[in-house]
Amino acid sequence: MHKGTRLEVNLKALAHNFHYLKSKLAPETLFMAVVKANAYGHGSIPIAQKLQELGADYFATAYVDEATELRDHGIVTPILVLHAQQHMLPICIDRCLEPVIYSVEMLDAFIAFAKAKKQQSYPIHLEFNTGLNRIGIDPKDLEKVIKKVQENPSVKVRGLQSHLAASEDLSEDSFTQNQIDSFIEIKRKLKTALTYDFITHESNTSGILNYPSAHFNMVRSGIGLYGYGNDLKFDKELQPVATLKSVISQTRWIEAGDSVSYNRQFIAKNRMRYAVIALGHGDGINRIYGHGNAVVYINGTAVPTLGIICMDMFMVDVTHIECEAGDEVIIFDPLHNARDFAEHAGTISYELLTGIQKRVPRIYIN
Ligand SMILES: *Cc1c(COP(=O)(O)O)cnc(C)c1O
């Protein structure tokens, strides 16, 4: 049994979340599992292997290297690369990866590569910007794009994509409805121009949960698979997949006026006892969690951080609890979850989870 710092990854919870999210979809709607950023910190290979076994229809990564790593480990499911860089496009073709084309220049470049590699109907996904103002083709370039696709049999549109800016924020409902409507209009024009069908996808996890009208025939889910629904009512139905545990390395009593950690930013008001936890910003527990902005659980009791988070350790106040070196520490688990931990310090579960570094061993529980 592993005793030190570790991220326990519960694959049963992953399966539960997959089935829950699928239950929100029409039976014929395809499910794309987003496993970018090391599957949001959970370990992309074991997560993708499990999701492939569960029947995910597609995977998505952000970059080409993330996708080739999956191919190297037995993932044969189609993979969409959301944010491929132009110089990596030839590798998409070599490794059977479907690129998201997000500009006219990128379409030209990809067509040139596909031609050079003597491809016929190589599948691409066209992403249009409908209001997020991140990557995406400008809708006013639709006619130009259609012409290029029609004139170049080396590529074929497999998918049409856009991304919602505020699917988790119902106070932005009219903005989201506008995004959905402009996407439907792009889809209608593209469908009229092309003689074949393609997949249409616009929803992330919150789109799945809040906007059935934006499911189209595929959805792209990341955070929901890992157990978070950006809303307490959905969080109740989902199961956090990751539990972060560590261990007490040492405890010490100090006197009033003594300081704890770098730059003496915490000064003891009274005689007190601290414990050192074997985890720091080098593991992904960023400095924002210092100064009491986070609590961890030792023997069932919440204890706050003290002073600055160091690279390999941080200190907590254990004046009022029984504990000793070697005791287990819960940073987050299904009960005291990553969303609460992150939001208490002013960030989100996505950032906390994706930030858990490589040196934290992942332990898979099936
Ligand atoms: C990351 C990402 C997703 C997944 O979003 P979640 O909120 O984690 O479900 C979907 N689509 C695109 C384009 C993304 O970049």
Side-chain angles (χ1 to χ4, degrees):
M1 218 191 90
H2 202 289
K3 290 264 202 262
T5 296
R6 73 267 194 201
L7 190 76
E8 290 179 359
V9 179
N10 181 347
L11 298 174
K12 273 206 197 98
L14 180 72
H16 166 88
N17 299 333
F18 176 76
H19 294 306
Y20 174 75
L21 293 163
K22 290 262 289 184
S23 77
K24 299 287 169 193
L25 308 176
E28 64 278 11
T29 305
L30 300 176
F31 190 97
M32 174 182 282
V34 181
V35 295
K36 64 191 179 187
N38 198 24
Y40 292 42
H42 294 69
S44 63
I45 289 150
I47 293 288
Q49 283 168 342
K50 180 70 184 182
L51 288 164
Q52 182 166 268
E53 188 187 304
L54 288 167
D57 299 292
Y58 253 92
F59 286 111
T61 64
Y63 296 104
V64 172
D65 285 341
E66 295 177 307
T68 57
E69 201 187 351
L70 297 180
R71 285 280 182 257
D72 289 342
H73 289 84
I75 299 301
V76 296
T77 304
I79 304 176
L80 183 69
V81 182
L82 296 166
H83 191 203
Q85 305 296 294
Q86 210 149 305
H87 68 284
M88 298 297 278
L89 291 176
I91 300 169
C92 285
I93 299 174
D94 299 339
R95 302 306 301 271
C96 210
L97 309 170
E98 300 177 18
V100 170
I101 302 294
Y102 50 82
S103 70
V104 176
E105 298 69 37
M106 189 180 186
L107 179 59
D108 289 338
F110 191 79
I111 287 171
F113 290 131
K115 267 190 191 153
K117 287 183 181 282
K118 307 214 177 338
Q119 297 298 306
Q120 282 293 321
S121 306
Y122 194 90
I124 59 173
H125 295 243
L126 300 174
E127 175 165 18
F128 283 85
N129 174 32
T130 54
L132 173 60
N133 287 333
R134 206 170 65 174
I135 53 173
I137 301 167
D138 202 311
K140 75 174 168 16
D141 288 329
L142 179 61
E143 300 307 320
K144 205 190 289 179
V145 165
I146 287 173
K147 197 156 173 286
K148 286 178 194 284
V149 168
Q150 284 170 333
E151 287 169 359
N152 287 284
S154 55
V155 297
K156 184 171 176 178
V157 177
R158 170 69 57 82
L160 171 67
Q161 158 175 352
S162 190
H163 196 38
L164 297 172
S167 57
E168 71 203 60
D169 183 357
L170 297 177
S171 72
E172 291 291 353
D173 180 63
S174 66
F175 184 90
T176 303
Q177 293 298 345
N178 273 333
Q179 274 198 281
I180 297 171
D181 292 344
S182 19
F183 190 56
I184 290 172
E185 186 55 18
I186 294 166
K187 178 188 158 202
R188 192 188 60 74
K189 288 183 181 154
L190 188 65
K191 200 143 203 167
T192 308
L194 300 178
T195 54
Y196 51 85
D197 278 333
F198 48 84
I199 307 169
T200 308
H201 47 107
E202 187 175 37
S203 282
N204 62 345
T205 298
S206 292
I208 296 172
L209 297 171
N210 291 327
Y211 289 96
S213 65
H215 289 180
F216 300 100
N217 48 12
M218 183 161 74
V219 296
R220 309 184 300 263
S221 179
I223 199 74
L225 285 171
Y226 309 108
Y228 297 92
N230 296 329
D231 186 316
L232 289 175
K233 85 171 177 276
F234 300 123
D235 281 2
K236 271 194 259 168
E237 306 293 332
L238 296 162
Q239 298 177 3
V241 171
T243 291
L244 182 60
K245 291 180 178 170
S246 189
V247 68
I248 297 177
S249 299
Q250 191 175 37
T251 67
R252 175 173 285 113
W253 284 95
I254 56 172
E255 302 303 322
D258 288 348
S259 57
V260 176
S261 197
Y262 288 129
N263 299 342
R264 309 196 63 222
Q265 292 194 0
F266 176 82
I267 308 280
K269 288 198 181 68
N270 303 102
R271 178 174 152 79
M272 67 175 291
R273 185 180 179 230
Y274 69 81
V276 181
I277 314 301
L279 199 60
H281 64 74
D283 301 291
I285 301 301
N286 297 340
R287 285 162 50 108
I288 56 162
Y289 297 111
H291 311 290
N293 289 328
V295 297
V296 302
Y297 291 82
I298 298 177
N299 299 326
T301 305
V303 292
T305 58
L306 294 173
I308 286 181
I309 305 277
C310 309
M311 192 182 298
D312 315 307
M313 47 198 121
F314 64 86
M315 279 62 85
V316 294
D317 182 353
V318 293
T319 308
H320 301 293
I321 66 162
E322 297 261 337
C323 66
E324 58 184 11
D327 284 0
E328 184 171 88
V329 181
I330 305 286
I331 317 304
F332 54 79
D333 68 2
L335 194 61
H336 310 289
N337 68 37
R339 171 198 168 116
D340 295 338
F341 188 88
E343 288 186 354
H344 190 67
T347 183
I348 56 172
S349 58
Y350 295 70
E351 186 182 52
L352 173 60
L353 293 168
T354 58
I356 305 297
Q357 296 298 305
K358 237 193 191 118
R359 78 171 175 186
V360 176
R362 271 71 173 167
I363 311 291
Y364 294 91
I365 301 163
N366 213 330

